[in-house]
Amino acid sequence: MKQKLTNNLGMKLLSLGIAIVFWIVIVNLDDPIESKTFRDIPVTVLNQEQVMEREKILEVIKGDKVNVEVEGRRSELERLTEKDFYATADLEEVSFMDTVLIRVTLPSHPEVKVLNNGENVMKLIFDDYVTRLFSFKVNTVGEATEGYYVGDALASPNIIQISGAKTVLDKIKEVVLEVDVSGRSVDFTTTAVPIVYDMNGDAIASSKLSMNLENVTVNVPVLLTKQLRVRVETVGEVPEGYEILSENIAFQPETVLVAGTKEDLEKLSRYLVLKVDVAGQTDTIEKNIYVSTELDDTLTSLRVVDTPMVAVTVTVTPYVEKTLEIPTARIELRNLPEGYSAQLLQRLNVPVTLKCKAAREPLLTVEQLKPYVDLTGYTAGTYRLELMMDLPSNVLWEGKIFMDIVVSKEEASIPHTEAGLE
């Protein structure tokens, strides 16, 4: 038997070697060694408790996921999934530049080789761990049923506790609860998830924050609406010589929409009366009046729906001018002393320029002026006296005119007697 085994030993060894070579060639042809890249493999951070012990929190700014290149038999690579990779960054190995080497292993596939192991790093920021309180802002989405208005929604509770990195909490602008009110016509209660926004209006990922509330109850009142017509009234008096015409009062909008309970709306007039103080004013008055300040504050449910203010313009105008010709025959000579006569030396009409309200101007006549010269205490002589007038109300005369007047003593009459009768 031994002789049979050793016969032609060289040929047998050669055959075995050739068979092994053929086997290797065949295997490499059917299941060759290849490389493949797996992307976005999540990285696990080890020993984070060391950071928490120092009341710090870390934020990964680069390297929370990594691309891994591996090499192995095609059959092995085809069986690989992301779950087979174990990528870690150990905080015990943090460098002075706050970076950690990322190591990747394949525990269930030791025959597969990681080609780029040790080439990737995780970049970290260590920050103070803080806790703060924030109030909620409720935003409504959609529109209530026509004729209704969504009032001020109330969150319960209305405060949330948020913990996290100080640099992240410093960026928080508001914590919002969004509530859909589409088609609502009665009060309702719902729940909403808090959304945290930064100063740029972008949502901050909840993974960066720790909040003590996941859902918040929101009570939403739904109110009836009523259209009110705006009316502007003036109070006080403008100076003499000025007036405010009805067409000189302008305002926008002409109507406002308010909301409230049925009971409060029924107590409202159809008009919203806005008052503007014009006392002592001679120029145009421009004023923005907030509607809410003009509503009855005892009707606590009332809310302004659309325009929060009314823009009012009140134009104060001076009296218009009008010139009249006064015939001298119309000028009365008043208070002439007994026993004297008087005569105006002027024979031409006397022009006077008056100021009056615009509505009176076409109706103003000489007869209404009642012009006169006061001769109280004047005896014989020639005088230059001021022309006076008894003007009707809202008519002004700012000029002065002097008249030349001759006052004469009347001659006494001699009684007639018959001669020789004594």
Side-chain angles (χ1 to χ4, degrees):
M1 182 69 180
K2 182 178 180 181
Q3 187 177 2
K4 288 182 179 181
L5 290 172
T6 56
N7 285 342
N8 299 319
L9 181 61
M11 290 297 294
K12 291 178 179 178
L13 293 173
L14 179 61
S15 297
L16 179 60
I18 292 173
I20 292 173
V21 171
F22 272 108
W23 179 82
I24 292 173
V25 171
I26 290 171
V27 168
N28 284 330
L29 288 175
D30 287 345
D31 194 9
I33 294 176
E34 297 179 345
S35 63
K36 185 177 181 180
T37 299
F38 290 80
R39 300 187 179 280
D40 296 331
I41 303 300
V43 180
T44 301
V45 180
L46 304 179
N47 296 312
Q48 292 193 58
E49 62 275 5
Q50 295 184 7
V51 178
M52 298 301 294
E53 288 174 359
R54 300 197 300 268
E55 295 186 351
K56 296 284 185 179
I57 189 171
L58 65 85
E59 181 181 359
V60 179
I61 62 174
K62 179 184 177 183
D64 58 334
K65 294 183 179 180
V66 67
N67 298 331
V68 182
E69 185 180 2
V70 295
E71 182 182 80
R73 295 287 178 186
R74 176 188 295 170
S75 58
E76 291 289 339
L77 299 185
E78 288 177 349
R79 291 199 300 271
L80 287 179
T81 66
E82 288 185 2
K83 296 180 180 179
D84 295 316
F85 292 86
Y86 184 51
T88 61
D90 193 342
L91 293 186
E92 289 187 345
E93 300 177 356
V94 175
S95 72
F96 71 95
M97 297 179 66
D98 291 338
T99 59
V100 184
L101 192 66
I102 298 174
R103 303 183 188 280
V104 183
T105 60
L106 290 154
S108 58
H109 298 271
E111 67 280 5
V112 177
K113 180 181 180 181
V114 179
L115 297 180
N116 62 337
N117 207 357
E119 296 180 5
N120 296 299
V121 295
M122 175 180 285
K123 177 66 177 174
L124 305 170
I125 291 180
F126 293 90
D127 200 355
D128 294 332
Y129 185 79
V130 297
T131 299
R132 294 175 185 169
L133 299 177
F134 296 87
S135 59
F136 290 113
K137 175 184 178 183
V138 181
N139 285 346
T140 56
V141 179
E143 297 290 338
T145 301
E146 185 176 359
Y148 291 85
Y149 172 74
V150 177
D152 299 329
L154 180 64
S156 179
N158 63 349
I159 297 291
I160 186 171
Q161 177 179 292
I162 301 179
S163 302
K166 181 178 182 299
T167 54
V168 176
L169 266 65
D170 286 345
K171 297 176 182 177
I172 294 178
K173 178 183 180 182
E174 58 189 5
V175 183
V176 174
L177 301 172
E178 290 191 352
V179 177
D180 188 356
V181 299
S182 301
R184 298 285 188 170
S185 59
V186 294
D187 300 350
F188 68 98
T189 300
T190 186
T191 59
V193 176
I195 304 174
V196 182
Y197 289 96
D198 62 18
M199 298 300 177
N200 296 321
D202 299 322
I204 298 175
S206 58
S207 59
K208 295 183 178 181
L209 305 168
S210 176
M211 296 182 280
N212 68 328
L213 298 173
E214 293 183 359
N215 293 282
V216 180
T217 300
V218 183
N219 300 303
V220 185
V222 181
L223 307 171
L224 286 166
T225 61
K226 183 175 183 176
Q227 197 86 24
L228 303 181
R229 294 184 62 84
V230 178
R231 188 167 67 193
V232 175
E233 296 180 355
T234 60
V235 294
E237 297 291 335
V238 295
E240 189 179 29
Y242 292 86
E243 66 175 330
I244 297 173
L245 304 178
S246 58
E247 60 265 27
N248 288 346
I249 300 177
F251 52 89
Q252 283 292 334
E254 296 182 352
T255 60
V256 295
L257 188 65
V258 297
T261 61
K262 181 180 179 182
E263 294 75 17
D264 283 353
L265 291 180
E266 287 177 347
K267 296 175 183 177
L268 283 179
S269 165
R270 293 175 50 239
Y271 292 93
L272 175 66
V273 180
L274 307 179
K275 297 185 181 297
V276 178
D277 187 359
V278 299
Q281 297 293 325
T282 59
D283 295 321
T284 297
I285 303 167
E286 294 182 347
K287 190 173 184 181
N288 292 323
I289 302 177
Y290 283 92
V291 176
S292 58
T293 62
E294 303 302 313
L295 297 174
D296 187 344
D297 55 11
T298 64
L299 307 178
T300 56
S301 72
L302 296 183
R303 297 291 184 274
V304 181
V305 174
D306 44 14
T307 308
M309 67 179 74
V310 176
V312 180
T313 301
V314 179
T315 303
V316 181
T317 58
Y319 283 1
V320 297
E321 291 187 351
K322 182 171 185 176
T323 300
L324 293 175
E325 297 280 340
I326 303 177
T328 53
R330 295 271 186 184
I331 299 174
E332 179 187 359
L333 301 177
R334 291 186 184 176
N335 301 317
L336 181 64
E338 188 176 354
Y340 290 88
S341 63
Q343 182 178 3
L344 290 169
L345 296 181
Q346 287 94 333
R347 292 291 181 264
L348 300 177
N349 293 343
V350 179
V352 291
T353 300
L354 307 163
K355 293 181 178 180
C356 63
K357 289 187 173 182
R360 179 183 283 276
E361 186 271 335
L363 305 177
L364 189 61
T365 63
V366 172
E367 288 75 12
Q368 296 172 339
L369 305 183
K370 299 179 181 179
Y372 69 92
V373 174
D374 187 1
L375 296 174
T376 301
Y378 288 95
T379 57
T382 301
Y383 304 96
R384 172 162 288 190
L385 302 178
E386 185 177 354
L387 178 66
M388 311 293 285
M389 286 183 276
D390 288 334
L391 297 175
S393 61
N394 301 317
V395 177
L396 300 177
W397 180 42
E398 297 175 349
K400 284 189 176 184
I401 295 177
F402 292 89
M403 309 296 297
D404 292 324
I405 300 176
V406 176
V407 179
S408 303
K409 185 174 179 61
E410 294 180 342
E411 293 183 3
S413 57
I414 301 174
H416 179 73
T417 58
E418 296 234 355
L421 295 178
E422 295 201 359

